[in-house]
Amino acid sequence: MVAAPPQPVQPLPTVLLTGFDPFGGEAVNPSWLAVQALQGRRIAGHRLVTAQLPTVFGAALAQLQALLRQHRPALVICVGQAGGRAALSLERVAINLDDARISDNAGAQPIDTAVVPGGPAAYFTTLPIKAMRAALQRKGLAAEVSQTAGTFVCNHVFYGLMHLLATQRVHRKTRGGFVHVPWLPEQGAPAMALADVVSGLRVAVRVALTTPQDIRVAGGQIS
Ligand code: PCA
């Protein structure tokens, strides 16, 4: 019998998950606490890599760009905190606008400026957000499709991500989007327990990796 030649070990394709550092005087940011808990996990044949982005206009995007170059992920989900929201918010649209109500963590407060000068007004997520919402709700987790990621650093990173994925050839097959998470109970109400945020993100990643075409169910708002 002839021995089979040794097979090269194929590294698993990666999923990049990012969270943010605390901002606005808060002690924690649940987005990073939840994302961090998933470092190294395997989901649907992919390996998760995680990183914390600074809540800083410009610097957050520069770091995200370096991470994309380093990991060439198949899927990118950026996660941020949205105090006041009660559900995992699957963001539909990123707009080309920075308009900060508070300073970022470097003291900057851009007002009415473009994320990418000359870029399109908006990008849609390429995540199957309706299928993600359905799967999250089946698990008993509060989830919604959101029509705005705001105009602070989260929208800035979401827009920058979608612009990079849309314009850089190496990333043409990479899916990406943004999820906002509620406060933790110790930060205020409404809140979601950290364990629920973590399991919600696992569900979100699995559905994004296994749902090529989103389902078509209503998810809009009247106003
Ligand atoms: N939330 C902020 C920025 C960092 C974060 O976690 C936002 O929604 O823009």
Side-chain angles (χ1 to χ4, degrees):
M1 207 170 116
V2 182
Q7 295 293 312
V9 181
Q10 288 287 336
L12 288 179
T14 59
V15 172
L16 174 63
L17 278 186
T18 67
F20 284 97
D21 63 353
F23 67 100
E26 306 222 41
V28 294
N29 190 323
S31 69
W32 172 240
L33 297 180
V35 161
Q36 188 184 31
L38 294 169
Q39 171 62 38
R41 285 287 188 105
R42 290 181 184 195
I43 298 180
H46 290 66
R47 186 174 55 87
L48 271 57
V49 295
T50 64
Q52 189 193 68
L53 301 179
T55 303
V56 175
F57 286 100
L61 253 186
Q63 203 164 310
L64 181 65
Q65 184 161 13
L67 288 161
L68 288 178
R69 213 175 292 135
Q70 182 187 349
H71 297 292
R72 303 254 183 117
L75 169 70
V76 185
I77 303 183
C78 297
V79 185
Q81 163 190 307
R85 293 197 192 177
L88 297 169
S89 282
L90 311 169
E91 298 295 349
R92 195 198 299 254
V93 58
I95 61 175
N96 192 10
L97 179 70
D98 295 331
D99 191 0
R101 195 167 37 78
I102 59 171
S103 298
D104 70 11
N105 284 351
Q109 191 177 0
I111 293 171
D112 294 353
T113 55
V115 180
V116 177
Y123 285 105
F124 288 118
T125 186
T126 48
L127 303 180
I129 52 176
K130 301 284 179 72
M132 289 161 73
R133 180 183 58 180
L136 289 163
Q137 290 176 343
R138 273 198 303 275
K139 291 258 177 198
L141 298 167
E144 65 190 5
V145 167
S146 162
Q147 321 300 341
T148 175
T151 55
F152 193 50
V153 180
C154 287
N155 174 75
H156 176 85
V157 161
F158 182 19
Y159 184 92
L161 167 66
M162 300 317 297
H163 186 71
L164 288 169
L165 298 187
T167 56
Q168 301 206 340
R169 240 187 96 71
V170 283
H171 302 312
R172 70 191 177 284
K173 291 190 184 143
T174 301
R175 264 180 145 178
F178 199 98
V179 177
H180 264 121
V181 304
W183 277 320
L184 297 176
E186 62 263 35
Q187 293 177 281
M192 188 177 280
L194 183 60
D196 286 343
V197 180
V198 173
S199 55
L201 292 179
R202 279 174 38 207
V203 170
V205 168
R206 181 177 302 280
V207 173
L209 288 172
T210 56
T211 311
Q213 190 79 45
D214 201 3
I215 57 173
R216 195 152 170 272
V217 293
Q221 289 157 223
I222 302 296
S223 59

